[in-house]
């Protein structure tokens, strides 16, 4: 019941902001959402199943083991896991060729990226069908060619977090300033173009950029420290500095998440408007 209320609220907010996808109204979309207590009845007629339980390997394995006994071999079994490898998630599935990870990004109703990660036995047609489905519902899927720990998004994100952590821990920057480096610096362009295009545009092409700056990049990269511990006194010190900016009580965190979602919605609208202008003939 709580989830239905939450979904209804989010759909109405998206509709009011002009960001709702599809041709149906928020009320019409809600009428298509239902819940059942019987798993077999829930799965009747399904062609694609997206698992979204908490990030617990055993729980996910048990769910897919149960799901497989109720659906045909042509039904795609997809997981929302953010970092568990498909090999592990689908360990108890007999027909692994129809298994895939479709990892959305938080908050998924504003951020369109979905990482598609195949199991080693995933059929190529399953990847294509999942990709087409994600495009159809308005997401921006990326296809990983093989499974890798952390997938793509978290590998890039963890690299940024690790260096930000080292800069704070080593006294180079404050917590507030290291966040400003992203929000008022890198993030301004990365919201519209990625690191490869950034490199390509910051010189006369990617190859020339590497000729100019490659040695400097290698020098800086070689100075990076080891992987941080993320524990002990360092965590307490950095957490204290973070909490001075944003207290970690539920009320402050909820308010800050609401602010985050509001800003991301505004950015999503801006990107949508800019993409629409680009598509118009000149």
């Amino acid at each position: 019941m709580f989830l239905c209320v939450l979904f209804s609220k989010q759909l109405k907010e998206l509709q009011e902001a002009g960001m709702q996808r599809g041709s149906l109204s928020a009320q019409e979309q809600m009428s298509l959402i239902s819940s059942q207590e019987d798993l077999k009845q829930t799965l009747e007629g399904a062609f694609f199943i997206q698992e979204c339980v908490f990030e617990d390997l055993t729980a996910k394995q048990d769910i897919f083991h149960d799901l497989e006994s109720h659906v045909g071999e042509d039904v795609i079994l997809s997981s929302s896991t953010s970092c568990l490898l498909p090999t592990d998630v689908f360990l108890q599935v007999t027909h692994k060729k129809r298994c895939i990870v479709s990892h959305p990004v938080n908050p998924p109703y504003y951020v369109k990226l979905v990482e598609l990660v195949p199991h080693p036995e995933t059929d190529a047609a399953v990847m294509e069908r999942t990709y087409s489905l994600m495009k159809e519902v308005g997401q921006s899927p990326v296809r990983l060619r093989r499974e890798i720990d952390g997938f793509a998004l978290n590998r890039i994100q963890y690299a940024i977090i690790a260096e930000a952590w080292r800069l704070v821990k080593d006294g180079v920057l404050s917590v507030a300033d290291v966040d400003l480096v992203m929000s008022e610096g890198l993030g301004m362009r990365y919201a519209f173009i990625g690191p490869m295009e950034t490199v390509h545009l910051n010189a006369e092409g990617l190859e020339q950029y590497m000729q100019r700056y490659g040695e400097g990049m290698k020098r800086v990269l070689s100075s990076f420290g080891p992987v941080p511990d993320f524990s002990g006194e360092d965590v307490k010190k950095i957490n204290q500095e973070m909490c001075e900016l944003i207290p970690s009580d539920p009320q402050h965190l909820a308010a800050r998440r609401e602010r985050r979602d509001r800003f991301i919605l505004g950015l999503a609208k801006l990107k949508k408007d800019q993409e629409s202008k680009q598509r118009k003939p000149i």
Side-chain angles (χ1 to χ4, degrees):
M1 182 64 183
F2 168 76
L3 286 178
C4 286
V5 173
L6 180 62
F7 293 158
S8 179
K9 179 176 180 292
Q10 290 173 347
L11 282 172
K12 287 178 181 176
E13 289 173 350
L14 289 169
Q15 181 172 277
E16 290 169 0
M19 292 295 292
Q20 183 175 304
R21 301 173 195 172
S23 59
L24 301 180
S25 68
Q27 185 175 356
E28 288 170 330
Q29 291 189 26
M30 274 304 301
S31 70
L32 298 175
I33 299 174
S34 62
S35 61
Q36 303 285 345
E37 293 185 5
D38 180 75
L39 181 60
K40 184 177 181 180
Q41 187 176 356
T42 301
L43 299 175
E44 284 182 4
F47 63 90
F48 184 94
I49 300 171
Q50 182 79 9
E51 163 273 314
C52 303
V53 303
F54 47 90
E55 201 75 342
D56 179 272
L57 179 58
T58 302
K60 290 179 183 290
Q61 288 176 339
D62 290 345
I63 283 175
F64 283 112
H65 180 262
D66 291 342
L67 287 173
E68 189 173 35
S69 63
H70 294 294
V71 296
E73 292 183 28
D74 61 333
V75 176
I76 296 175
L77 302 181
S78 175
S79 174
S80 293
T81 181
S82 60
C83 62
L84 297 174
L85 290 174
T87 296
D88 298 325
V89 173
F90 302 114
L91 184 65
Q92 298 185 37
V93 176
T94 301
H95 303 289
K96 296 179 175 64
K97 65 180 183 179
R98 40 87 164 272
C99 297
I100 192 168
V101 165
S102 305
H103 170 225
V105 183
N106 189 44
Y109 37 92
Y110 299 140
V111 182
K112 298 197 296 183
L113 182 73
V114 179
E115 294 182 288
L116 304 182
V117 189
H119 183 280
E121 297 179 33
T122 298
D123 193 280
V126 169
M127 173 65 82
E128 291 308 310
R129 286 170 60 194
T130 305
Y131 182 87
S132 296
L133 176 62
M134 294 301 161
K135 292 286 286 185
E136 185 179 343
V137 298
Q139 297 299 97
S140 294
V142 294
R143 291 172 281 205
L144 275 71
R145 292 170 182 163
R146 60 180 175 87
E147 65 176 14
I148 185 171
D149 199 10
F151 310 155
L153 184 140
N154 275 326
R155 290 180 74 89
I156 294 170
Q157 177 173 238
Y158 293 164
I160 292 170
I161 291 173
E163 182 55 21
W165 189 274
R166 286 188 290 259
L167 290 170
V168 175
K169 173 181 174 292
D170 294 344
V172 178
L173 283 172
S174 66
V175 166
D177 282 349
V178 83
D179 274 359
L180 280 174
V181 169
M182 181 60 67
S183 64
E184 297 296 336
L186 292 173
M188 292 293 287
R189 59 189 179 202
Y190 284 174
F192 294 92
I193 62 173
M196 293 302 185
E197 185 175 350
T198 296
V199 164
H200 198 59
L201 299 182
N202 281 357
E204 300 307 310
L206 184 146
E207 186 175 8
Q208 189 183 94
Y209 183 96
M210 292 307 169
Q211 290 171 354
R212 288 182 187 175
Y213 306 113
E215 289 302 316
M217 289 171 64
K218 287 192 289 184
R219 186 192 74 248
V220 173
L221 287 167
S222 67
S223 72
F224 281 24
V227 175
D229 244 355
F230 302 120
S231 63
E233 289 302 314
D234 291 338
V235 169
K236 292 180 181 178
K237 182 180 177 182
I238 295 175
N239 179 64
Q240 181 180 353
E241 191 175 342
M242 186 74 248
C243 288
E244 288 172 2
L245 299 169
I246 306 169
S248 59
D249 61 274
Q251 186 174 2
H252 279 92
L253 290 178
R256 200 69 177 182
R257 290 184 188 113
E258 190 278 331
R259 173 183 179 271
R260 174 201 67 187
D261 288 358
R262 188 173 69 252
F263 285 0
I264 292 176
L265 172 60
L267 178 60
K269 289 178 67 176
L270 175 62
K271 293 186 72 169
K272 181 181 178 182
D273 291 344
Q274 291 298 316
E275 287 165 3
S276 296
K277 289 177 182 178
Q278 271 195 328
R279 284 194 293 266
K280 289 181 179 178
I282 298 174

